[in-house]
Amino acid sequence: MPRHQDPIVAVATAPGRGAVGIVRVSGRSLQALIHTLCDKVLTPREATYTGFLDAQGVAIDHGLALYFPAPHSFTGEDVLELQAHGGPVVLQLLLARCLEAAGQTLADARPTLAHLRLALPGEFSERAFLNDKIDLTQAEAIADLIDASTEAAARSASRSLSGAFSQEIHQLRDALIHLRMLVEATLDFPEEEIDFLRKADALGQLSKLQQGVLAVLQKARQGALLREGIKVVLAGQPNAGKSSLLNALAGAELAIVTAVPGTTRDKVQQTIQIEGVPLHVIDTAGLRESDDEVEKIGIERAWLAIAEADAVLFLHDLTRLDATEYIASDAAIARTMTQKLPQNITILDIWNKADAAPSQVPEHGVVVSAKTGVGLDVLRHQLLQLAGWQPGAEGIFTARARHVTALRRAQDHLAVASQHLAQQAQALDVLAEELRLAQNALNQITGEFTSDDLLGVIFSSFCIGK
């Protein structure tokens, strides 16, 4: 695409003040721009302390300049990094100066760096992908590493960035290509009496390939969980202890807790981690009939949050289990949940206020005390089970929903291929097609076969300058 030929520039550090800020340029033949900005020749891959000059030759700032000539750079193009003091004004002045200097003419009337423009979000990483410096899973891992909300998520993103996920996909793809070669050979030489597939143990190869896809899929599910976490909504009647439970799980006073029913009138959200898995816990307004307009809006928002949850913790007050009206209201909420919620949303009954309740408690669900912490460890364990987390899993890499979908698609095609392989020569052409489709699904993960539309969606979610 034409825009990929343009040189680009952006501030590569986060907005705001900091000790150091970086302005990054990527393109072809940056030597003229470097001379205009720094008035010296930079030694490749060596930090040089210099002034960054304005149009009059006066230093805007002094800092380190780094030059990485193509193809030995992050993007595969020439890359210049200006490391200055991290003030927003200084960085904007340097950014503007880069654009201004690019438009200056050289002695032969050529511009210093024609068509230099501001980079789009993720465009540096996109250039790295397009120039075969990284594959698509590694590019996505850059964003995942930046966005990681837990230590486990950061470590898994780092594994993906180092190529662990890509390596497993490439191994599966290579095995699949070898199996396709055997099938195509049988199709190309039907007159031969040699049974290529039987002698090469094609059925055994396909079975091993299916096992390999399943193993990678299980890791990918865990990786997607580390990246995205699950959304857990606290629901129940007023004063059931939802806000207290949120505070207890988070270990901080996030939500206001009073004895007045209806204190919580809007959603309060906090991300916590359990064994490195992020859980996005949402406290909601108490569910009841109300004439208060503000509270009614809060209750409507509560039901919307419940409908979008991965799991709902339905809180019950153990101290009110003998109150007829309270029991009837809980039953009405339960009926509404059953009617409104999709079947894939798990509802877990939480019996709160165990510290003030009689010894007789319900047998199902989890009994807790948000006040004393009793039962919280059991609840955390239940939440991990709801999320599908497998404790102690090794070598997990970060993954996204699209990766899991592609692996499932490959799994489905291999399952159909296995059925056709059992039919021998009668269905070899269909078998070959199923294997080709399985390979396409794997190729989409690393980007060997990926639409431009998908690339646009992926890289537009990156920060500018990355």
Side-chain angles (χ1 to χ4, degrees), residues 172-219:
L172 291 173
R173 188 194 62 190
D174 291 346
L176 185 49
I177 289 173
H178 183 262
L179 183 56
R180 287 187 64 195
M181 178 189 69
L182 293 174
V183 174
E184 296 292 344
T186 306
L187 285 171
D188 289 341
F189 303 102
E191 69 281 358
E192 295 286 343
E193 295 181 1
I194 300 173
D195 187 349
F196 288 100
L197 300 183
R198 180 178 56 80
K199 289 193 174 184
D201 189 25
L203 191 59
Q205 289 189 40
L206 180 53
S207 177
K208 186 177 179 181
L209 189 55
Q210 287 177 286
Q211 292 171 11
V213 170
L214 178 60
V216 175
L217 178 58
Q218 289 172 342
K219 286 185 182 180

mmCIF file of all heavy atoms in Angstrom, residues 172-219:
data_model
loop_
_atom_site.group_PDB
_atom_site.id
_atom_site.type_symbol
_atom_site.label_atom_id
_atom_site.label_comp_id
_atom_site.label_asym_id
_atom_site.label_seq_id
_atom_site.Cartn_x
_atom_site.Cartn_y
_atom_site.Cartn_z
ATOM 1 N N LEU A 172 3.547 -27.119 13.922
ATOM 2 C CA LEU A 172 2.295 -27.734 13.474
ATOM 3 C C LEU A 172 2.126 -27.580 11.969
ATOM 4 O O LEU A 172 1.737 -28.519 11.264
ATOM 5 C CB LEU A 172 1.105 -27.099 14.199
ATOM 6 C CG LEU A 172 0.972 -27.381 15.694
ATOM 7 C CD1 LEU A 172 -0.156 -26.549 16.287
ATOM 8 C CD2 LEU A 172 0.712 -28.865 15.947
ATOM 9 N N ARG A 173 2.435 -26.379 11.488
ATOM 10 C CA ARG A 173 2.275 -26.114 10.052
ATOM 11 C C ARG A 173 3.221 -26.982 9.222
ATOM 12 O O ARG A 173 2.831 -27.524 8.185
ATOM 13 C CB ARG A 173 2.540 -24.637 9.779
ATOM 14 C CG ARG A 173 2.212 -24.198 8.342
ATOM 15 C CD ARG A 173 2.803 -22.864 8.037
ATOM 16 N NE ARG A 173 4.262 -22.913 8.140
ATOM 17 C CZ ARG A 173 5.052 -21.838 8.114
ATOM 18 N NH1 ARG A 173 4.520 -20.646 8.032
ATOM 19 N NH2 ARG A 173 6.366 -21.966 8.194
ATOM 20 N N ASP A 174 4.483 -27.146 9.676
ATOM 21 C CA ASP A 174 5.442 -27.961 8.933
ATOM 22 C C ASP A 174 4.983 -29.429 8.867
ATOM 23 O O ASP A 174 5.111 -30.088 7.820
ATOM 24 C CB ASP A 174 6.821 -27.871 9.582
ATOM 25 C CG ASP A 174 7.455 -26.498 9.415
ATOM 26 O OD1 ASP A 174 6.955 -25.726 8.588
ATOM 27 O OD2 ASP A 174 8.428 -26.192 10.133
ATOM 28 N N ALA A 175 4.460 -29.927 9.991
ATOM 29 C CA ALA A 175 3.948 -31.300 9.996
ATOM 30 C C ALA A 175 2.750 -31.441 9.065
ATOM 31 O O ALA A 175 2.584 -32.457 8.371
ATOM 32 C CB ALA A 175 3.571 -31.708 11.420
ATOM 33 N N LEU A 176 1.932 -30.407 9.016
ATOM 34 C CA LEU A 176 0.754 -30.425 8.153
ATOM 35 C C LEU A 176 1.163 -30.369 6.681
ATOM 36 O O LEU A 176 0.583 -31.066 5.828
ATOM 37 C CB LEU A 176 -0.147 -29.239 8.513
ATOM 38 C CG LEU A 176 -1.504 -29.101 7.814
ATOM 39 C CD1 LEU A 176 -2.268 -30.418 7.858
ATOM 40 C CD2 LEU A 176 -2.315 -27.997 8.466
ATOM 41 N N ILE A 177 2.176 -29.566 6.378
ATOM 42 C CA ILE A 177 2.670 -29.485 4.997
ATOM 43 C C ILE A 177 3.210 -30.839 4.538
ATOM 44 O O ILE A 177 2.973 -31.276 3.402
ATOM 45 C CB ILE A 177 3.754 -28.394 4.882
ATOM 46 C CG1 ILE A 177 3.116 -26.999 5.016
ATOM 47 C CG2 ILE A 177 4.491 -28.498 3.552
ATOM 48 C CD1 ILE A 177 4.121 -25.876 5.093
ATOM 49 N N HIS A 178 3.927 -31.524 5.418
ATOM 50 C CA HIS A 178 4.468 -32.846 5.067
ATOM 51 C C HIS A 178 3.337 -33.836 4.786
ATOM 52 O O HIS A 178 3.403 -34.627 3.828
ATOM 53 C CB HIS A 178 5.349 -33.357 6.213
ATOM 54 C CG HIS A 178 5.997 -34.672 5.916
ATOM 55 N ND1 HIS A 178 5.491 -35.881 6.365
ATOM 56 C CD2 HIS A 178 7.106 -34.977 5.189
ATOM 57 C CE1 HIS A 178 6.256 -36.858 5.934
ATOM 58 N NE2 HIS A 178 7.249 -36.350 5.223
ATOM 59 N N LEU A 179 2.286 -33.780 5.601
ATOM 60 C CA LEU A 179 1.151 -34.677 5.384
ATOM 61 C C LEU A 179 0.432 -34.328 4.080
ATOM 62 O O LEU A 179 0.023 -35.226 3.320
ATOM 63 C CB LEU A 179 0.187 -34.575 6.567
ATOM 64 C CG LEU A 179 -1.026 -35.512 6.544
ATOM 65 C CD1 LEU A 179 -0.590 -36.967 6.429
ATOM 66 C CD2 LEU A 179 -1.877 -35.310 7.804
ATOM 67 N N ARG A 180 0.301 -33.046 3.786
ATOM 68 C CA ARG A 180 -0.320 -32.630 2.523
ATOM 69 C C ARG A 180 0.483 -33.132 1.336
ATOM 70 O O ARG A 180 -0.081 -33.539 0.311
ATOM 71 C CB ARG A 180 -0.429 -31.107 2.459
ATOM 72 C CG ARG A 180 -1.497 -30.496 3.356
ATOM 73 C CD ARG A 180 -1.628 -29.003 3.094
ATOM 74 N NE ARG A 180 -2.099 -28.766 1.728
ATOM 75 C CZ ARG A 180 -2.030 -27.579 1.120
ATOM 76 N NH1 ARG A 180 -1.482 -26.543 1.747
ATOM 77 N NH2 ARG A 180 -2.484 -27.436 -0.105
ATOM 78 N N MET A 181 1.798 -33.098 1.456
ATOM 79 C CA MET A 181 2.672 -33.570 0.379
ATOM 80 C C MET A 181 2.399 -35.045 0.065
ATOM 81 O O MET A 181 2.331 -35.454 -1.096
ATOM 82 C CB MET A 181 4.132 -33.376 0.783
ATOM 83 C CG MET A 181 5.148 -33.881 -0.232
ATOM 84 S SD MET A 181 6.827 -33.851 0.437
ATOM 85 C CE MET A 181 6.695 -35.170 1.666
ATOM 86 N N LEU A 182 2.223 -35.863 1.113
ATOM 87 C CA LEU A 182 1.941 -37.285 0.909
ATOM 88 C C LEU A 182 0.606 -37.481 0.194
ATOM 89 O O LEU A 182 0.487 -38.308 -0.727
ATOM 90 C CB LEU A 182 1.923 -38.002 2.260
ATOM 91 C CG LEU A 182 3.254 -38.086 3.015
ATOM 92 C CD1 LEU A 182 3.021 -38.691 4.396
ATOM 93 C CD2 LEU A 182 4.260 -38.909 2.229
ATOM 94 N N VAL A 183 -0.408 -36.718 0.632
ATOM 95 C CA VAL A 183 -1.739 -36.857 0.023
ATOM 96 C C VAL A 183 -1.698 -36.414 -1.434
ATOM 97 O O VAL A 183 -2.259 -37.080 -2.329
ATOM 98 C CB VAL A 183 -2.772 -36.034 0.824
ATOM 99 C CG1 VAL A 183 -4.130 -36.054 0.116
ATOM 100 C CG2 VAL A 183 -2.913 -36.591 2.241
ATOM 101 N N GLU A 184 -1.006 -35.287 -1.711
ATOM 102 C CA GLU A 184 -0.930 -34.794 -3.090
ATOM 103 C C GLU A 184 -0.176 -35.780 -3.980
ATOM 104 O O GLU A 184 -0.517 -35.961 -5.154
ATOM 105 C CB GLU A 184 -0.236 -33.427 -3.114
ATOM 106 C CG GLU A 184 -0.981 -32.315 -2.382
ATOM 107 C CD GLU A 184 -2.277 -31.920 -3.064
ATOM 108 O OE1 GLU A 184 -2.465 -32.276 -4.249
ATOM 109 O OE2 GLU A 184 -3.114 -31.264 -2.404
ATOM 110 N N ALA A 185 0.859 -36.428 -3.416
ATOM 111 C CA ALA A 185 1.606 -37.413 -4.202
ATOM 112 C C ALA A 185 0.707 -38.580 -4.595
ATOM 113 O O ALA A 185 0.774 -39.088 -5.723
ATOM 114 C CB ALA A 185 2.806 -37.916 -3.402
ATOM 115 N N THR A 186 -0.136 -39.004 -3.688
ATOM 116 C CA THR A 186 -1.072 -40.092 -3.984
ATOM 117 C C THR A 186 -2.077 -39.679 -5.048
ATOM 118 O O THR A 186 -2.445 -40.462 -5.924
ATOM 119 C CB THR A 186 -1.808 -40.521 -2.702
ATOM 120 O OG1 THR A 186 -0.859 -40.841 -1.689
ATOM 121 C CG2 THR A 186 -2.674 -41.744 -2.946
ATOM 122 N N LEU A 187 -2.516 -38.408 -4.989
ATOM 123 C CA LEU A 187 -3.463 -37.906 -5.987
ATOM 124 C C LEU A 187 -2.808 -37.758 -7.350
ATOM 125 O O LEU A 187 -3.425 -38.009 -8.383
ATOM 126 C CB LEU A 187 -4.036 -36.562 -5.529
ATOM 127 C CG LEU A 187 -5.077 -36.602 -4.406
ATOM 128 C CD1 LEU A 187 -5.379 -35.193 -3.915
ATOM 129 C CD2 LEU A 187 -6.367 -37.271 -4.886
ATOM 130 N N ASP A 188 -1.523 -37.344 -7.372
ATOM 131 C CA ASP A 188 -0.835 -37.089 -8.633
ATOM 132 C C ASP A 188 -0.457 -38.377 -9.363
ATOM 133 O O ASP A 188 -0.313 -38.394 -10.588
ATOM 134 C CB ASP A 188 0.432 -36.263 -8.392
ATOM 135 C CG ASP A 188 0.100 -34.824 -8.003
ATOM 136 O OD1 ASP A 188 -1.044 -34.411 -8.279
ATOM 137 O OD2 ASP A 188 0.967 -34.143 -7.434
ATOM 138 N N PHE A 189 -0.258 -39.475 -8.592
ATOM 139 C CA PHE A 189 0.159 -40.728 -9.212
ATOM 140 C C PHE A 189 -0.781 -41.865 -8.835
ATOM 141 O O PHE A 189 -0.399 -42.829 -8.170
ATOM 142 C CB PHE A 189 1.590 -41.069 -8.781
ATOM 143 C CG PHE A 189 2.586 -39.995 -9.105
ATOM 144 C CD1 PHE A 189 3.036 -39.133 -8.112
ATOM 145 C CD2 PHE A 189 3.047 -39.833 -10.408
ATOM 146 C CE1 PHE A 189 3.948 -38.132 -8.420
ATOM 147 C CE2 PHE A 189 3.966 -38.833 -10.706
ATOM 148 C CZ PHE A 189 4.416 -37.974 -9.715
ATOM 149 N N PRO A 190 -2.049 -41.757 -9.263
ATOM 150 C CA PRO A 190 -3.035 -42.783 -8.870
ATOM 151 C C PRO A 190 -2.743 -44.145 -9.491
ATOM 152 O O PRO A 190 -3.206 -45.162 -8.993
ATOM 153 C CB PRO A 190 -4.354 -42.212 -9.410
ATOM 154 C CG PRO A 190 -3.943 -41.314 -10.539
ATOM 155 C CD PRO A 190 -2.635 -40.723 -10.128
ATOM 156 N N GLU A 191 -1.960 -44.163 -10.595
ATOM 157 C CA GLU A 191 -1.690 -45.447 -11.236
ATOM 158 C C GLU A 191 -0.641 -46.259 -10.494
ATOM 159 O O GLU A 191 -0.483 -47.459 -10.749
ATOM 160 C CB GLU A 191 -1.224 -45.215 -12.693
ATOM 161 C CG GLU A 191 0.160 -44.577 -12.847
ATOM 162 C CD GLU A 191 0.143 -43.059 -12.634
ATOM 163 O OE1 GLU A 191 -0.968 -42.521 -12.402
ATOM 164 O OE2 GLU A 191 1.204 -42.442 -12.710
ATOM 165 N N GLU A 192 0.098 -45.611 -9.606
ATOM 166 C CA GLU A 192 1.106 -46.345 -8.850
ATOM 167 C C GLU A 192 0.431 -47.326 -7.892
ATOM 168 O O GLU A 192 -0.590 -47.019 -7.285
ATOM 169 C CB GLU A 192 1.979 -45.365 -8.046
ATOM 170 C CG GLU A 192 2.814 -44.443 -8.918
ATOM 171 C CD GLU A 192 3.984 -45.163 -9.548
ATOM 172 O OE1 GLU A 192 4.332 -46.258 -9.070
ATOM 173 O OE2 GLU A 192 4.531 -44.652 -10.546
ATOM 174 N N GLU A 193 1.033 -48.494 -7.751
ATOM 175 C CA GLU A 193 0.472 -49.478 -6.842
ATOM 176 C C GLU A 193 0.912 -49.241 -5.400
ATOM 177 O O GLU A 193 0.376 -49.829 -4.471
ATOM 178 C CB GLU A 193 0.891 -50.896 -7.290
ATOM 179 C CG GLU A 193 0.321 -51.291 -8.657
ATOM 180 C CD GLU A 193 0.740 -52.696 -9.056
ATOM 181 O OE1 GLU A 193 1.449 -53.330 -8.257
ATOM 182 O OE2 GLU A 193 0.348 -53.138 -10.145
ATOM 183 N N ILE A 194 1.943 -48.402 -5.225
ATOM 184 C CA ILE A 194 2.453 -48.152 -3.878
ATOM 185 C C ILE A 194 1.447 -47.316 -3.097
ATOM 186 O O ILE A 194 0.992 -46.270 -3.557
ATOM 187 C CB ILE A 194 3.808 -47.421 -3.944
ATOM 188 C CG1 ILE A 194 4.830 -48.263 -4.698
ATOM 189 C CG2 ILE A 194 4.317 -47.088 -2.541
ATOM 190 C CD1 ILE A 194 6.139 -47.548 -4.943
ATOM 191 N N ASP A 195 1.069 -47.766 -1.925
ATOM 192 C CA ASP A 195 0.146 -47.014 -1.080
ATOM 193 C C ASP A 195 0.977 -46.045 -0.234
ATOM 194 O O ASP A 195 1.459 -46.374 0.843
ATOM 195 C CB ASP A 195 -0.643 -47.959 -0.176
ATOM 196 C CG ASP A 195 -1.723 -47.222 0.600
ATOM 197 O OD1 ASP A 195 -1.727 -45.981 0.610
ATOM 198 O OD2 ASP A 195 -2.561 -47.911 1.215
ATOM 199 N N PHE A 196 1.133 -44.827 -0.780
ATOM 200 C CA PHE A 196 1.961 -43.827 -0.096
ATOM 201 C C PHE A 196 1.484 -43.584 1.330
ATOM 202 O O PHE A 196 2.268 -43.510 2.272
ATOM 203 C CB PHE A 196 1.919 -42.488 -0.866
ATOM 204 C CG PHE A 196 2.670 -42.507 -2.168
ATOM 205 C CD1 PHE A 196 1.990 -42.665 -3.363
ATOM 206 C CD2 PHE A 196 4.046 -42.362 -2.201
ATOM 207 C CE1 PHE A 196 2.668 -42.682 -4.576
ATOM 208 C CE2 PHE A 196 4.733 -42.369 -3.411
ATOM 209 C CZ PHE A 196 4.053 -42.534 -4.598
ATOM 210 N N LEU A 197 0.192 -43.429 1.481
ATOM 211 C CA LEU A 197 -0.359 -43.010 2.765
ATOM 212 C C LEU A 197 -0.206 -44.082 3.825
ATOM 213 O O LEU A 197 0.124 -43.782 4.982
ATOM 214 C CB LEU A 197 -1.833 -42.635 2.600
ATOM 215 C CG LEU A 197 -2.105 -41.492 1.620
ATOM 216 C CD1 LEU A 197 -3.592 -41.162 1.591
ATOM 217 C CD2 LEU A 197 -1.302 -40.256 1.989
ATOM 218 N N ARG A 198 -0.438 -45.325 3.452
ATOM 219 C CA ARG A 198 -0.322 -46.392 4.447
ATOM 220 C C ARG A 198 1.124 -46.585 4.879
ATOM 221 O O ARG A 198 1.427 -46.696 6.061
ATOM 222 C CB ARG A 198 -0.902 -47.688 3.873
ATOM 223 C CG ARG A 198 -0.825 -48.881 4.845
ATOM 224 C CD ARG A 198 -1.455 -50.125 4.243
ATOM 225 N NE ARG A 198 -0.858 -50.470 2.967
ATOM 226 C CZ ARG A 198 0.309 -51.112 2.837
ATOM 227 N NH1 ARG A 198 1.003 -51.465 3.916
ATOM 228 N NH2 ARG A 198 0.782 -51.418 1.636
ATOM 229 N N LYS A 199 2.034 -46.634 3.915
ATOM 230 C CA LYS A 199 3.433 -46.869 4.254
ATOM 231 C C LYS A 199 4.049 -45.705 5.027
ATOM 232 O O LYS A 199 4.978 -45.899 5.804
ATOM 233 C CB LYS A 199 4.235 -47.142 2.982
ATOM 234 C CG LYS A 199 3.918 -48.492 2.356
ATOM 235 C CD LYS A 199 4.937 -48.858 1.300
ATOM 236 C CE LYS A 199 4.682 -50.281 0.799
ATOM 237 N NZ LYS A 199 5.718 -50.719 -0.158
ATOM 238 N N ALA A 200 3.548 -44.503 4.788
ATOM 239 C CA ALA A 200 4.070 -43.334 5.495
ATOM 240 C C ALA A 200 3.350 -43.100 6.816
ATOM 241 O O ALA A 200 3.618 -42.106 7.498
ATOM 242 C CB ALA A 200 3.930 -42.099 4.612
ATOM 243 N N ASP A 201 2.424 -44.009 7.157
ATOM 244 C CA ASP A 201 1.641 -43.885 8.394
ATOM 245 C C ASP A 201 0.937 -42.527 8.451
ATOM 246 O O ASP A 201 1.042 -41.788 9.428
ATOM 247 C CB ASP A 201 2.542 -44.071 9.621
ATOM 248 C CG ASP A 201 1.718 -44.157 10.908
ATOM 249 O OD1 ASP A 201 0.528 -44.536 10.833
ATOM 250 O OD2 ASP A 201 2.254 -43.802 11.977
ATOM 251 N N ALA A 202 0.231 -42.202 7.367
ATOM 252 C CA ALA A 202 -0.473 -40.921 7.308
ATOM 253 C C ALA A 202 -1.498 -40.792 8.422
ATOM 254 O O ALA A 202 -1.682 -39.709 8.991
ATOM 255 C CB ALA A 202 -1.154 -40.762 5.949
ATOM 256 N N LEU A 203 -2.169 -41.899 8.758
ATOM 257 C CA LEU A 203 -3.170 -41.844 9.820
ATOM 258 C C LEU A 203 -2.515 -41.511 11.156
ATOM 259 O O LEU A 203 -3.033 -40.712 11.936
ATOM 260 C CB LEU A 203 -3.905 -43.182 9.906
ATOM 261 C CG LEU A 203 -5.169 -43.196 10.787
ATOM 262 C CD1 LEU A 203 -6.186 -42.194 10.284
ATOM 263 C CD2 LEU A 203 -5.773 -44.598 10.822
ATOM 264 N N GLY A 204 -1.348 -42.113 11.408
ATOM 265 C CA GLY A 204 -0.624 -41.812 12.644
ATOM 266 C C GLY A 204 -0.130 -40.383 12.671
ATOM 267 O O GLY A 204 -0.179 -39.712 13.711
ATOM 268 N N GLN A 205 0.330 -39.873 11.525
ATOM 269 C CA GLN A 205 0.786 -38.484 11.446
ATOM 270 C C GLN A 205 -0.364 -37.511 11.711
ATOM 271 O O GLN A 205 -0.192 -36.516 12.406
ATOM 272 C CB GLN A 205 1.392 -38.201 10.063
ATOM 273 C CG GLN A 205 2.725 -38.876 9.819
ATOM 274 C CD GLN A 205 3.373 -38.388 8.536
ATOM 275 O OE1 GLN A 205 3.332 -37.202 8.226
ATOM 276 N NE2 GLN A 205 3.964 -39.314 7.777
ATOM 277 N N LEU A 206 -1.527 -37.829 11.132
ATOM 278 C CA LEU A 206 -2.684 -36.967 11.328
ATOM 279 C C LEU A 206 -3.131 -36.979 12.785
ATOM 280 O O LEU A 206 -3.476 -35.942 13.363
ATOM 281 C CB LEU A 206 -3.824 -37.411 10.408
ATOM 282 C CG LEU A 206 -5.119 -36.595 10.489
ATOM 283 C CD1 LEU A 206 -4.846 -35.111 10.290
ATOM 284 C CD2 LEU A 206 -6.125 -37.098 9.454
ATOM 285 N N SER A 207 -3.107 -38.162 13.405
ATOM 286 C CA SER A 207 -3.487 -38.263 14.818
ATOM 287 C C SER A 207 -2.534 -37.456 15.700
ATOM 288 O O SER A 207 -2.966 -36.742 16.615
ATOM 289 C CB SER A 207 -3.489 -39.733 15.245
ATOM 290 O OG SER A 207 -3.777 -39.848 16.628
ATOM 291 N N LYS A 208 -1.246 -37.559 15.414
ATOM 292 C CA LYS A 208 -0.256 -36.798 16.174
ATOM 293 C C LYS A 208 -0.445 -35.302 15.979
ATOM 294 O O LYS A 208 -0.308 -34.499 16.911
ATOM 295 C CB LYS A 208 1.148 -37.210 15.736
ATOM 296 C CG LYS A 208 2.264 -36.588 16.551
ATOM 297 C CD LYS A 208 3.627 -37.116 16.106
ATOM 298 C CE LYS A 208 4.744 -36.460 16.920
ATOM 299 N NZ LYS A 208 6.083 -36.948 16.490
ATOM 300 N N LEU A 209 -0.792 -34.919 14.760
ATOM 301 C CA LEU A 209 -1.043 -33.506 14.451
ATOM 302 C C LEU A 209 -2.256 -32.994 15.225
ATOM 303 O O LEU A 209 -2.241 -31.874 15.759
ATOM 304 C CB LEU A 209 -1.263 -33.353 12.947
ATOM 305 C CG LEU A 209 -1.333 -31.943 12.356
ATOM 306 C CD1 LEU A 209 -0.100 -31.134 12.721
ATOM 307 C CD2 LEU A 209 -1.492 -32.034 10.845
ATOM 308 N N GLN A 210 -3.305 -33.795 15.300
ATOM 309 C CA GLN A 210 -4.489 -33.402 16.067
ATOM 310 C C GLN A 210 -4.156 -33.223 17.545
ATOM 311 O O GLN A 210 -4.621 -32.278 18.184
ATOM 312 C CB GLN A 210 -5.590 -34.456 15.903
ATOM 313 C CG GLN A 210 -6.248 -34.446 14.535
ATOM 314 C CD GLN A 210 -7.290 -35.546 14.386
ATOM 315 O OE1 GLN A 210 -6.960 -36.712 14.244
ATOM 316 N NE2 GLN A 210 -8.550 -35.169 14.449
ATOM 317 N N GLN A 211 -3.342 -34.116 18.077
ATOM 318 C CA GLN A 211 -2.930 -33.985 19.476
ATOM 319 C C GLN A 211 -2.117 -32.713 19.693
ATOM 320 O O GLN A 211 -2.259 -32.029 20.704
ATOM 321 C CB GLN A 211 -2.111 -35.216 19.890
ATOM 322 C CG GLN A 211 -2.913 -36.510 19.946
ATOM 323 C CD GLN A 211 -2.022 -37.724 20.153
ATOM 324 O OE1 GLN A 211 -0.838 -37.600 20.447
ATOM 325 N NE2 GLN A 211 -2.593 -38.911 19.985
ATOM 326 N N GLY A 212 -1.259 -32.391 18.715
ATOM 327 C CA GLY A 212 -0.456 -31.176 18.814
ATOM 328 C C GLY A 212 -1.306 -29.919 18.797
ATOM 329 O O GLY A 212 -1.083 -28.991 19.579
ATOM 330 N N VAL A 213 -2.305 -29.880 17.918
ATOM 331 C CA VAL A 213 -3.213 -28.722 17.858
ATOM 332 C C VAL A 213 -3.976 -28.582 19.171
ATOM 333 O O VAL A 213 -4.146 -27.477 19.689
ATOM 334 C CB VAL A 213 -4.187 -28.858 16.666
ATOM 335 C CG1 VAL A 213 -5.282 -27.791 16.741
ATOM 336 C CG2 VAL A 213 -3.431 -28.749 15.350
ATOM 337 N N LEU A 214 -4.427 -29.709 19.732
ATOM 338 C CA LEU A 214 -5.157 -29.676 21.003
ATOM 339 C C LEU A 214 -4.277 -29.117 22.119
ATOM 340 O O LEU A 214 -4.727 -28.299 22.924
ATOM 341 C CB LEU A 214 -5.645 -31.081 21.365
ATOM 342 C CG LEU A 214 -6.385 -31.213 22.704
ATOM 343 C CD1 LEU A 214 -7.634 -30.328 22.716
ATOM 344 C CD2 LEU A 214 -6.750 -32.667 22.982
ATOM 345 N N ALA A 215 -3.007 -29.527 22.168
ATOM 346 C CA ALA A 215 -2.095 -29.049 23.210
ATOM 347 C C ALA A 215 -1.862 -27.548 23.090
ATOM 348 O O ALA A 215 -1.878 -26.814 24.091
ATOM 349 C CB ALA A 215 -0.764 -29.800 23.124
ATOM 350 N N VAL A 216 -1.661 -27.068 21.864
ATOM 351 C CA VAL A 216 -1.453 -25.633 21.663
ATOM 352 C C VAL A 216 -2.732 -24.867 21.970
ATOM 353 O O VAL A 216 -2.694 -23.765 22.539
ATOM 354 C CB VAL A 216 -0.973 -25.353 20.224
ATOM 355 C CG1 VAL A 216 -0.864 -23.851 19.975
ATOM 356 C CG2 VAL A 216 0.370 -26.017 19.972
ATOM 357 N N LEU A 217 -3.886 -25.435 21.610
ATOM 358 C CA LEU A 217 -5.166 -24.791 21.893
ATOM 359 C C LEU A 217 -5.370 -24.613 23.400
ATOM 360 O O LEU A 217 -5.839 -23.564 23.859
ATOM 361 C CB LEU A 217 -6.305 -25.618 21.294
ATOM 362 C CG LEU A 217 -7.738 -25.113 21.546
ATOM 363 C CD1 LEU A 217 -7.912 -23.693 21.027
ATOM 364 C CD2 LEU A 217 -8.749 -26.051 20.898
ATOM 365 N N GLN A 218 -5.009 -25.622 24.178
ATOM 366 C CA GLN A 218 -5.153 -25.517 25.629
ATOM 367 C C GLN A 218 -4.264 -24.405 26.185
ATOM 368 O O GLN A 218 -4.672 -23.630 27.049
ATOM 369 C CB GLN A 218 -4.814 -26.860 26.275
ATOM 370 C CG GLN A 218 -5.859 -27.937 26.026
ATOM 371 C CD GLN A 218 -5.426 -29.312 26.503
ATOM 372 O OE1 GLN A 218 -4.239 -29.569 26.715
ATOM 373 N NE2 GLN A 218 -6.383 -30.213 26.670
ATOM 374 N N LYS A 219 -3.038 -24.297 25.682
ATOM 375 C CA LYS A 219 -2.149 -23.210 26.108
ATOM 376 C C LYS A 219 -2.708 -21.859 25.680
ATOM 377 O O LYS A 219 -2.633 -20.876 26.423
ATOM 378 C CB LYS A 219 -0.750 -23.401 25.510
ATOM 379 C CG LYS A 219 0.069 -24.505 26.144
ATOM 380 C CD LYS A 219 1.483 -24.502 25.553
ATOM 381 C CE LYS A 219 2.332 -25.611 26.122
ATOM 382 N NZ LYS A 219 3.697 -25.605 25.540
#
